[in-house]
Amino acid sequence: DMDQYALGTTNCIFIPFDRLLASGFNTGNGSVRTPQTIMSAMALVAIIFQAQQNSQFGGVSANKIDWDLAPYVARSFRRHFQKGLRLFDESTTLEEQLITMGNEELQAECPRSWAFAHEETVSETRQAAESLIHNLNTMSSRAGGQIPFTSLNYGMCTSMEGRLVAQSLLESTIRGLGSGETPVFPQHIFQCKQGVNQAPEDPNYDLFQLAVECSSKRMYPNFVNVDASFNLPYYRENEPDTIIATMGCRTRTIGDRFGRNRQSGKGNLSFNTINLPRLGIEFGTCQGQRTVPDIKGFYDKLKEMMEVAVEGLIHRYRIQANQPAKASDFMMREGVWEGGEQLSPEDKVGELLKHGTLALGFIGVAECMKAMYGQHHGENDTVYREAQRVITAMRSFCDRMSEQHELNITLFATPAEGLSGKFTQLDAREFGVIEGVTDREYYTNSFHIPVYYPLPAARKIELEAPFHLWCNAGAISYIELDGNVRSNPVAFRSIVQYALSQNVGYFSINHPIDRCPCCGYEGIIGSECPKCEAEESTTHFQRLRRVTGYLTGDYTVRFNGAKQAEVRDRVKHQ
């Protein structure tokens, strides 16, 4: 990111919307008071996202938007109920008792006012959600360079108000944008938890079903696993900030050696990525210079490269930590980064930033194994164990560095939107075209089984699942389905729940979403629209695909060449 953003800025953050909305905030151009309705609250969410995005170079996320917005649904209901009392002349003396009376009491005492308020609140929340989705797809940040990379986590709040927030966000996403297009942002992430939304008897199971329907139509939400063995220990019931949350780019920051083991008010500071295929080429068998790989040489060089990468992270951290609070004005002044509101403009921010993460990333486990052993980790059980050995060694190194430097140094399964092609070009230029290693335009995403390797969806999930445990800075797995999944939500739900059962921390399902601009048909389009018969020779069909965790619009226009090649190579699961 050095080509676009200053070294002193941080990467990404989970924003404490509950605190900012409750106390009001100042964007630097004017102050904003506490909203009194859900419509106002959702409008302010978009403004906060935009203001924070200008303070950093990565993504911005709401880690529990259903919990954060529930109080403002209640405020809207109260306003509508008071109006109903006046309209229907129902016990107007009750207005002063609204705070102490429960929902069932209100409904029993003033049924017409309650029904009116309920209908109006549902309508307002749906309109507010639609407005938020449209705002986050159209507003600019970073001096107009791009729209904010926003993510919304939800699914765990079981109150009537929180459930309505989640339901309205999902329904608005299903409806799409102005002409019915699939929204690229925000990234939706549904938080999955046994006893809350995973079984028919769970209070939010209907929301999980709606999330499955939405994802089958719009490719969102993704699904984050609260019950995963590495997430559940942080979770405390009735403390929503301890629910695991993530971003489209798989950021995970819940663990903190300084005790702030919660999501909001902190984020990732920066990350550096190791080119594993290059090390595999240098010390493996692929060049014919040796018959067995030089294992010791590989791990010695890997350690050396990790030391260089961590040295770079710490060098950058010292620059970040030495910044005055005013350098990230909105983030610190308004307490978006927790504690920033207590600093004076000239105070250094290091004591606060230490709660963030410095991530050591990696790319191309598959090509590394191919270069070392002649097969990748999806083809051979012995090679699979060697792949695990590499990643566990990297995680152990990160843990040691955390102790040594007294910082949160974590292991990151790098998304590598652009890096996959860049590394491959450099290595092909130096080592030539090596079958299974540098013969494609891209390196495989993190620890994933190569997209071109055919195997059942369940097997891909099983092979990738253990790596999630070791990637404490974040990881995602996904499969690629072969047809229009809108017609089979039961299968879609089964795949998601199977991934959760395998201890996958973060999961999504890719499937083709094509759109005809002539008639608005969405589904799978070949060379001719099945609805209006428009032909590809005269019409540009929009083909929406996922690049990593995020969507980036029509892949034939928005993806770089390496990622377009990856999409073309993807083997579809039945």
Side-chain angles (χ1 to χ4, degrees):
D1 296 292
M2 285 178 61
D3 58 342
Q4 297 184 57
Y5 305 109
L7 283 172
T9 59
T10 56
N11 179 12
C12 59
I13 197 168
F14 292 92
I15 299 174
F17 284 101
D18 51 353
R19 193 161 69 241
L20 270 69
L21 292 174
S23 59
F25 59 92
N26 192 316
T27 64
N29 298 313
S31 61
V32 178
R33 53 181 177 263
T34 304
Q36 298 303 309
T37 66
I38 185 59
M39 181 67 76
S40 297
M42 284 206 185
L44 294 183
V45 165
I47 291 171
I48 292 168
F49 268 137
Q50 183 182 41
Q52 174 56 31
Q53 184 80 89
N54 288 323
S55 297
Q56 59 176 62
F57 68 89
V60 282
S61 182
N63 60 298
K64 50 177 177 44
I65 197 65
D66 44 356
W67 294 84
D68 293 344
L69 290 177
Y72 305 97
V73 176
R75 290 187 181 189
S76 283
F77 179 85
R78 184 174 302 165
R79 290 164 67 96
H80 294 307
F81 187 82
Q82 290 170 332
K83 183 178 180 180
L85 290 175
R86 293 188 292 272
L87 283 173
F88 302 112
D89 194 26
E90 284 186 320
S91 303
T92 55
T93 57
L94 287 174
E95 289 190 47
E96 297 178 359
Q97 304 175 34
L98 287 175
I99 294 176
T100 59
M101 293 185 69
N103 181 62
E104 291 183 1
E105 290 179 280
L106 292 176
Q107 190 173 4
E109 291 283 343
C110 309
R112 289 192 296 172
S113 298
W114 190 94
F116 169 80
H118 181 267
E119 182 178 344
E120 291 295 304
T121 303
V122 169
S123 177
E124 182 185 352
T125 306
R126 287 175 173 168
Q127 291 177 42
E130 184 166 303
S131 176
L132 177 61
I133 300 297
H134 280 71
N135 277 334
L136 294 182
N137 278 273
T138 55
M139 61 171 38
S140 295
S141 67
R142 296 168 176 160
Q146 54 189 193
I147 60 177
F149 274 43
T150 53
S151 298
L152 301 175
N153 290 260
Y154 53 84
M156 289 280 287
C157 185
T158 57
S159 71
M160 291 179 64
E161 296 85 356
R163 283 172 43 79
L164 180 57
V165 169
Q167 179 184 346
S168 299
L169 289 168
L170 288 166
E171 289 175 345
S172 178
T173 303
I174 290 172
R175 287 193 298 271
L177 297 179
S179 298
E181 311 98 312
T182 293
V184 174
F185 288 105
Q187 160 79 278
H188 296 258
I189 300 144
F190 194 86
Q191 296 163 316
C192 301
K193 176 77 181 69
Q194 296 289 337
V196 177
N197 52 38
Q198 289 300 291
E201 63 272 17
D202 292 346
N204 281 2
Y205 184 68
D206 59 333
L207 293 180
F208 175 62
Q209 290 180 301
L210 186 60
V212 166
E213 178 188 350
C214 184
S215 193
S216 73
K217 293 179 178 178
R218 300 299 185 189
M219 223 180 302
Y220 287 160
N222 295 345
F223 301 88
V224 65
N225 189 359
V226 182
D227 290 312
S229 63
F230 41 89
N231 293 331
L232 190 59
Y234 295 104
Y235 173 68
R236 295 190 293 276
E237 193 172 358
N238 298 320
E239 294 186 39
D241 260 335
T242 66
I243 302 170
I244 186 65
T246 186
M247 302 186 191
C249 54
R250 72 194 71 183
T251 300
R252 180 181 181 275
T253 65
I254 195 167
D256 181 5
R257 66 182 296 106
F258 304 104
R260 193 179 288 174
N261 295 320
R262 51 189 184 272
Q263 284 289 164
S264 67
K266 61 178 181 176
N268 179 253
L269 301 172
S270 57
F271 59 88
N272 283 336
T273 296
I274 300 292
N275 181 356
L276 290 178
R278 186 180 186 91
L279 299 183
I281 294 169
E282 291 180 353
F283 297 97
T285 61
C286 64
Q287 293 184 288
Q289 297 175 346
R290 56 179 69 90
T291 57
V292 294
D294 179 1
I295 303 295
K296 183 180 184 304
F298 174 86
Y299 280 99
D300 287 346
K301 189 61 177 290
L302 175 61
K303 181 174 181 292
E304 178 186 339
M305 291 296 97
M306 290 192 294
E307 288 171 347
V308 170
V310 169
E311 182 182 357
L313 290 172
I314 292 173
H315 175 79
R316 183 169 183 167
Y317 169 75
R318 288 172 180 156
I319 295 173
Q320 293 168 327
N322 197 46
Q323 297 289 310
K326 66 181 182 182
S328 298
D329 191 34
F330 179 78
M331 181 169 75
M332 291 299 171
R333 186 189 66 245
E334 301 303 320
V336 180
W337 194 287
E338 187 174 338
E341 72 279 8
Q342 300 171 15
L343 299 180
S344 298
E346 299 297 336
D347 288 346
K348 306 300 183 186
V349 299
E351 273 302 300
L352 301 183
L353 293 190
K354 72 179 184 181
H355 295 285
T357 56
L358 297 167
L360 176 69
F362 63 91
I363 188 174
V365 169
E367 288 79 12
C368 176
M369 294 297 101
K370 187 78 171 181
M372 290 283 286
Y373 303 103
Q375 291 180 296
H376 61 69
H377 59 311
E379 295 177 294
N380 182 287
D381 290 343
T382 300
V383 175
Y384 180 74
R385 289 190 290 272
E386 291 300 320
Q388 290 183 314
R389 180 184 171 193
V390 171
I391 303 309
T392 55
M394 296 186 74
R395 170 61 185 273
S396 296
F397 178 85
C398 290
D399 291 346
R400 292 196 304 273
M401 292 300 100
S402 292
E403 294 291 333
Q404 180 178 324
H405 295 285
E406 271 293 298
L407 291 167
N408 293 307
I409 298 174
T410 53
L411 185 63
F412 188 53
T414 303
E417 289 94 337
L419 190 62
S420 62
K422 185 183 297 183
F423 271 164
T424 311
Q425 290 174 2
L426 291 171
D427 292 345
R429 193 179 305 149
E430 180 167 347
F431 300 106
V433 176
I434 301 171
E435 183 181 355
V437 183
T438 62
D439 57 345
R440 287 180 167 83
E441 296 181 46
Y442 57 90
Y443 283 151
T444 296
N445 191 319
S446 61
F447 55 74
H448 291 179
I449 304 301
V451 297
Y452 52 81
Y453 184 66
L455 78 173
R459 182 58 178 159
K460 185 177 190 294
I461 291 169
E462 292 162 3
L463 289 172
E464 293 182 5
F467 291 91
H468 286 248
L469 169 65
W470 302 312
C471 298
N472 58 337
I476 190 171
S477 285
Y478 49 77
I479 63 165
E480 192 91 9
L481 292 183
D482 64 350
N484 188 349
V485 299
R486 302 177 185 201
S487 60
N488 197 346
V490 174
F492 193 103
R493 184 176 70 245
S494 297
I495 294 168
V496 172
Q497 292 188 312
Y498 183 74
L500 299 175
S501 75
Q502 296 300 302
N503 212 36
V504 168
Y506 186 35
F507 183 72
S508 65
I509 295 179
N510 294 342
H511 52 89
I513 299 179
D514 299 333
R515 180 178 177 82
C516 175
C518 299
C519 66
Y521 172 83
E522 283 192 333
I524 298 177
I525 302 176
S527 58
E528 180 181 287
C529 175
K531 183 177 180 181
C532 71
E533 300 183 349
E535 296 183 357
E536 191 167 30
S537 59
T538 58
T539 305
H540 177 74
F541 298 127
Q542 299 163 353
R543 303 188 186 277
L544 193 66
R545 303 293 186 270
R546 190 192 310 273
V547 58
T548 54
Y550 287 117
L551 301 181
T552 55
D554 186 345
Y555 89 96
T556 63
V557 177
R558 300 292 299 276
F559 285 18
N560 60 42
K563 282 300 176 183
Q564 288 190 38
E566 184 202 287
V567 171
R568 290 193 298 270
D569 286 351
R570 290 176 182 176
V571 172
K572 308 298 189 294
H573 301 105
Q574 293 182 350

